Amino acid sequence: AADTAAVGVNLVDAAISNGGRTPGATPTRVVLFGGDGANFRRCRPYLQGLGDVVEHVGELGSGQVLKLLNNLLMILNMGTTDTVMRCGKQLGIAEDVMTRSLSTGSGSSQGIRTLLGSERAAHNDIVLGKDLRLALDVVAAGGYETGPMQLAGEAALLALAERAAGAGAPTAASS
């Protein structure tokens, strides 16, 4: 960034998240801006045309980092959802009942709706796999243990791939 500033170019990052989607509501787009405050103030009017929420996250690169952490949270939510679905199935609860209830109840999240199918078109295992790898690299660079998150994330990607292939939630015997 210092090299570009020396020649009169300001470098910023502005990651966009499609935000949470509540069933029946219009999606919210969130712009996560990384760069100094002066650049944020200059860019904000333009960024408001891209998103409903424009957030100054911090210095250059921080918008991208927060976007990766956001996607990591969604992937981990998907892994937790898959575990809950397997448990519910083993306890005799019908998958369609769990899907409706978990997608709209107090525990709902974008990760749940993605895994259970209502947002399947917006994501795929290739993109989420890339996001998982990048997010874990960022987390590891920050000095945090990534093992549990990696396991949960890989389980989520496997569950998403199984569902996309039409397998649904595997039975406890097949896991």
Side-chain angles (χ1 to χ4, degrees), residues 133-154:
R133 286 187 300 280
L134 290 171
L136 290 174
D137 286 349
V138 166
V139 169
Y144 293 95
E145 171 59 42
T146 61
M149 287 185 276
Q150 182 171 353
L151 290 174
E154 288 174 1

Side-chain angles (χ1 to χ4, degrees), residues 15-67:
I16 297 177
S17 173
N18 285 323
R21 294 176 179 93
T22 303
T26 304
T28 301
R29 285 189 137 196
V30 179
V31 179
L32 304 167
F33 183 91
D36 69 37
N39 284 328
F40 177 69
R41 287 185 293 281
R42 265 194 304 279
C43 294
R44 186 182 182 119
Y46 304 102
L47 297 174
Q48 287 174 319
L50 298 174
D52 305 299
V53 175
V54 179
E55 189 71 44
H56 184 206
V57 178
E59 293 304 313
L60 181 64
S62 60
Q64 297 295 327
V65 168
L66 184 52
K67 165 77 176 191

